[in-house]
Amino acid sequence: AEIADANRRLGGALAEHPDASWRRRALRHLIAVDEWERVAQVIASLVTEATRRGAPAPDLQTLLGDDVPASRLARLRDALPANGTRRRTARTVAIAAGLLMMVTISAFAYARVSARPAAEAELMIAYSSADGAPVEVTRTELASDGWETARILDAATREPSAAWTATPVAPVFAAIAPDGARWATDRAFPDSGGLDVVVIDRTGREQRLTSARGDDRAVAFSPDGALLLISTSRWNANGHTNLAVIDATSGALVRRLTTDTTASVNGARWSPDGGRIAFTQFDLRTDSGTVCWMTIDAQSRRCFDAARWQPLDIIGFAGEQHLLLRARTQGVVSTVVLDLRTSEVSRTQIPARSHVSLDPSGRWLLSAEHENDTSATAVVGPALAFGRARPVRVHPVRGARVAAWLASEPPDYLDRIRIAHPRVAIEFGATYRLHVHATTRSGRETTPTSLTWRSLTPRVAAVDSLGVVVPLDTGRAIIEASAGGWRTAADTIDIARTQTAVRFDEQWTADVDHRWRLFGEPLPRVVDDARGGRAFLNNGDSQFYSGAYSVADFDASRGLAVEALISTPLTATQWQVLSVDIFPSDQIEPVARWDHRTGYLPGHNSSATACQFVYPQGEGPAARTRANIASALPSSVGGRPLELWRGGWHLLRIQLFADGRCGYALDGTPIAIADAGTEPPTTARVVVQGMSVGTRILVGHLRVIAGVLPGIDWARAPRHP
């Protein structure tokens, strides 16, 4: 009884679906509970829609399968609308001039002989005779620049019929390959007892791809045409559907994506970049639907709260981060757009009951509505700004069938990723963040919407979700990056023990100006401090920083550390600050033309600085607990209170890693680790500067060390954005 009730509810929900392919799926559930009157209604709607489109009417045997008795099949055939019993083998039908067919099938009624011109997209309108031969084809280029809202779109270029050749017509529920050379649909086969996926090319040659128990239905080709997304009931005895990916040539199973046992997947679309699949699913326990996306490797999945709106079907991706779908809100069916980043849902001006189609890039949308059996209207416009749509003028051709669709280049999908190989071996005891270089089909650089990492040699190194490698032993580590399973790359990385070396040891003794270039007004001074010995006082006033930068350049290719004793007694809420940073040598060049007295150090800013520690951050009483690398410094380190404002001596370490990240530690405890804003420098200098109005901000013993100084577990450092 529970299974019958589930079939009845699911079949009823799918029977109301505006997409014909999902109404077809209702039939199996309705037949299972002998809802023959509803079955007849669904078949009638499918035949009527096919007739209006000018497509072949669906074959009853294919729709219902071999288990339906011949007597029942005959009664259903007799109940069909007039002229609705044509076999699927019929290629085309003659219809009155002006009837506009919809995009999903029409693009495959013709194959262009000449090369397609480069454009954002093209609106194609084709006129064919009753036998399917092309009579005339027009094209209108679509471009955002110069688009005039509401103006009739009629600037079409006519092409001779010789540029086109007739091909078999794809059924309305077909999945279309990106290059337009083939489509995938389903057929009933007696050996599997259900529907299986077949692929048909422009010559009409058919290839069967699946033969599993249960129903397999084609949903969508991958953007590169190599894979095919299917919905299948092969894993569920109750006929509930899940998603899977198969090879589009051999039919071999690549991966099962969903494993739900109490929900059926109702619709799915592949993202233009290739990395994600969006789908709707119907939960049989709660009579509710939701929208989700999943990566191709099934490792990442996100579903969206549908409490205020009930998703019905997905139209498609409008770009990479927006999804167009039909949904029911407060009993009204609307076309809405879902922002995949913010989860916000908003209504669009796309008519909910129209037939709609996106171009392959997801930028343009064509909407057509049948007014009656002899006429239709169409508008085309930007998918995410359909209020700017323009009506389409269709020029009648006597006795011809009229079809319209949007054409464009295949999606500019993510085509290749490559791990940027470290320029030096990763030091054992240090961490290293890897990055990928990603390019699209056209060679454009891009950022994958999803990226995961794993170590293929876990004994040698681990890697976290951000690509940070943590060495566990010396040797060779193999690290893999995956763009959601769509594209993968691997790299072999050396882990080695290397020696650090002190390159500079400053105790502020004689001839400081030989090692440091002083700047500011007033100039900094070297002072004696009873607690820490000789120290550097930045001496900056209330206008600009005063300080010094090292005369020497230091090799930073393997990493560079600055370790310094600091004392920062704060007696006021402003003009008392310390800045210690590792500064790329090539940013020092503008300084040569500076008088070293006026204003700030030229070229010195947060985007150019490799690593910088500034304390306090901002002004006011709360600033004393903040630094630029931490919105709130820890209250204690190493079991001792951390109260920098009291002026006690603390050991600061700034670590520039070979990957460009910066680590910060106080008294041996990691405080933060952050990405640098630029590529890591090959050589660098050290800058010490700040303000000391009414106090003495001091830097004591300072060392510069090549490499990654041991003694701190940087893997435990909090990440700073």
Side-chain angles (χ1 to χ4, degrees):
E2 183 178 346
I3 294 175
D5 185 57
N7 275 313
R8 189 174 291 106
R9 288 187 285 114
L10 182 56
L14 293 175
E16 298 298 326
H17 205 287
D19 190 320
S21 64
W22 299 111
R23 295 202 301 278
R24 280 169 45 87
R25 301 183 185 197
L27 294 173
R28 191 171 187 85
H29 299 283
L30 296 173
I31 291 172
V33 290
D34 293 328
E35 292 278 354
W36 294 108
E37 183 177 349
R38 197 65 185 278
V39 168
Q41 293 172 354
V42 172
I43 293 174
S45 74
L46 293 172
V47 170
T48 299
E49 181 170 328
T51 302
R52 287 182 173 179
R53 290 173 178 265
D59 176 56
L60 290 188
Q61 191 75 56
T62 301
L63 281 177
L64 303 179
D66 296 329
D67 294 335
V68 177
S71 58
R72 174 68 68 179
L73 200 64
R75 287 198 295 272
L76 289 170
R77 184 175 288 112
D78 291 341
L80 288 176
N83 301 322
T85 56
R86 293 166 297 152
R87 302 287 293 180
R88 182 175 292 185
T89 53
R91 290 186 53 186
T92 59
V93 293
I95 63 171
L99 178 57
L100 192 65
M101 298 297 102
M102 204 40 217
V103 192
T104 51
I105 63 168
S106 303
F108 297 89
Y110 304 96
R112 196 174 200 171
V113 175
S114 58
R116 181 163 53 201
E120 255 182 58
E122 290 178 326
L123 170 64
M124 309 299 300
I125 300 178
Y127 304 84
S128 62
S129 61
D131 63 359
V135 175
E136 181 180 301
V137 178
T138 68
R139 60 180 175 87
T140 304
E141 292 190 359
L142 306 178
S144 302
D145 293 340
W147 183 260
E148 298 182 42
T149 304
R151 180 180 174 185
I152 294 177
L153 193 65
D154 59 359
T157 301
R158 295 190 178 188
E159 294 190 346
S161 59
W164 295 77
T165 179
T167 68
V169 177
V172 296
F173 44 83
I176 311 301
D179 61 1
R182 56 196 170 136
W183 58 88
T185 183
D186 49 71
R187 296 271 192 272
F189 289 91
D191 58 342
S192 66
L195 298 175
D196 291 309
V197 175
V198 296
V199 171
I200 306 169
D201 64 20
R202 282 183 173 143
T203 68
R205 186 177 66 88
E206 182 176 302
Q207 177 190 2
R208 183 180 179 183
L209 289 186
T210 67
S211 57
R213 181 186 64 83
D215 287 342
D216 292 337
R217 294 183 173 94
V219 177
F221 277 92
S222 61
D224 63 357
L227 302 174
L228 183 63
L229 178 67
I230 66 170
S231 68
T232 176
S233 61
R234 64 176 68 177
W235 296 300
N236 192 290
N238 297 325
H240 303 158
T241 54
N242 280 285
L243 291 176
V245 175
I246 63 174
D247 185 279
T249 301
S250 67
L253 179 66
V254 175
R255 185 173 294 108
R256 179 179 178 179
L257 296 180
T258 61
T259 58
D260 301 279
T261 58
T262 60
S264 278
V265 176
N266 292 340
R269 293 292 184 270
W270 213 305
S271 65
D273 72 345
R276 292 181 292 180
I277 290 171
F279 58 94
T280 59
Q281 63 180 21
F282 183 80
D283 193 320
L284 302 175
R285 298 166 301 180
T286 61
D287 278 343
S288 62
T290 188
V291 175
C292 306
W293 64 255
M294 176 180 286
T295 52
I296 312 307
D297 57 9
Q299 296 302 304
S300 298
R301 174 172 174 167
R302 182 182 178 187
C303 294
F304 298 87
D305 181 17
R308 293 181 292 105
W309 50 282
Q310 179 69 29
L312 298 176
D313 70 303
I314 296 175
I315 296 171
F317 279 86
E320 299 298 338
Q321 299 298 343
H322 293 89
L323 201 62
L324 288 173
L325 56 143
R326 290 188 180 92
R328 182 178 287 110
T329 55
Q330 299 178 343
V332 178
V333 176
S334 304
T335 302
V336 299
V337 59
L338 169 63
D339 190 316
L340 300 178
R341 292 165 297 189
T342 66
S343 303
E344 294 182 359
V345 177
S346 55
R347 281 190 174 92
T348 72
Q349 296 188 43
I350 302 169
R353 293 299 182 183
S354 66
H355 297 289
V356 297
S357 177
L358 291 161
D359 80 289
S361 72
R363 297 179 62 181
W364 294 89
L365 183 137
L366 175 65
S367 169
E369 291 185 89
H370 292 280
E371 297 174 347
N372 50 54
D373 286 342
T374 59
S375 65
T377 59
V379 291
V380 64
L384 293 178
F386 208 66
R388 301 181 58 211
R390 296 169 61 176
V392 177
R393 175 171 293 167
V394 180
H395 302 282
V397 175
R398 181 178 296 276
R401 169 177 176 261
V402 185
W405 69 94
L406 293 178
S408 70
E409 292 294 325
D412 197 22
Y413 55 82
L414 173 65
D415 188 50
R416 183 173 182 264
I417 64 172
R418 174 180 61 85
I419 298 175
H421 187 74
R423 57 188 182 185
V424 295
I426 299 178
E427 294 195 25
F428 182 77
T431 60
Y432 191 100
R433 183 172 183 181
L434 296 172
H435 295 273
V436 298
H437 294 301
T439 53
T440 65
R441 178 184 61 86
S442 67
R444 175 178 56 87
E445 292 188 1
T446 188
T447 301
T449 54
S450 178
L451 190 65
T452 56
W453 299 85
R454 68 168 177 157
S455 172
L456 303 183
T457 51
R459 183 189 63 81
V460 180
V463 62
D464 69 8
S465 61
L466 295 178
V468 176
V469 177
V470 180
L472 303 175
D473 198 355
T474 57
R476 288 193 166 182
I478 302 175
I479 306 298
E480 181 185 76
S482 173
W486 172 245
R487 294 292 188 267
T488 60
D491 194 20
T492 301
I493 300 166
D494 291 326
I495 310 293
R497 296 182 187 272
T498 58
Q499 297 296 320
T500 59
V502 177
R503 300 301 186 194
F504 189 69
D505 193 322
E506 180 59 77
Q507 301 190 44
W508 309 108
T509 54
D511 300 324
V512 169
D513 57 351
H514 290 177
R515 302 184 296 275
W516 297 87
R517 183 64 164 93
L518 308 182
F519 60 83
E521 184 63 49
L523 287 171
R525 296 185 291 120
V526 174
V527 299
D528 290 314
D529 182 80
R531 301 162 302 158
R534 305 275 289 176
F536 178 87
L537 170 65
N538 64 51
N539 207 32
D541 62 10
S542 61
Q543 298 297 316
F544 302 104
Y545 283 2
S546 293
Y549 58 86
S550 63
V551 173
D553 294 310
F554 304 104
D555 180 9
S557 60
R558 295 190 301 110
L560 192 69
V562 173
E563 194 171 66
L565 288 169
I566 61 171
S567 172
T568 54
L570 303 183
T571 61
T573 58
Q574 60 181 2
W575 304 328
Q576 298 177 352
V577 63
L578 169 68
S579 173
V580 181
D581 36 305
I582 299 173
F583 194 67
S585 297
D586 57 10
Q587 296 295 326
I588 293 290
E589 302 252 347
V591 178
R593 299 184 296 274
W594 184 39
D595 64 4
H596 288 74
R597 292 281 182 164
T598 307
Y600 291 104
L601 181 67
H604 184 272
N605 54 65
S606 58
S607 64
T609 300
C611 298
Q612 182 180 34
F613 175 84
V614 179
Y615 174 82
Q617 177 69 15
E619 297 181 346
R624 69 182 190 175
T625 61
R626 300 194 301 258
N628 67 313
I629 46 84
S631 57
L633 291 170
S635 58
S636 63
V637 293
R640 296 172 48 204
L642 182 62
E643 298 174 332
L644 296 181
W645 67 88
R646 295 191 183 278
W649 285 99
H650 295 272
L651 183 63
L652 168 69
R653 184 185 297 183
I654 303 175
Q655 178 67 65
L656 171 63
F657 294 96
D659 60 5
R661 291 176 305 140
C662 300
Y664 304 89
L666 284 167
D667 298 331
T669 299
I671 301 301
I673 196 164
D675 282 328
T678 60
E679 289 290 320
T682 54
T683 61
R685 299 191 187 190
V686 177
V687 181
V688 181
Q689 59 182 334
M691 293 178 174
S692 295
V693 177
T695 189
R696 298 207 315 174
I697 304 294
L698 302 177
V699 175
H701 186 198
L702 180 147
R703 298 191 307 159
V704 179
I705 301 101
V708 179
L709 197 60
I712 292 179
D713 184 1
W714 291 109
R716 292 174 41 238
R719 288 193 173 92
H720 179 70

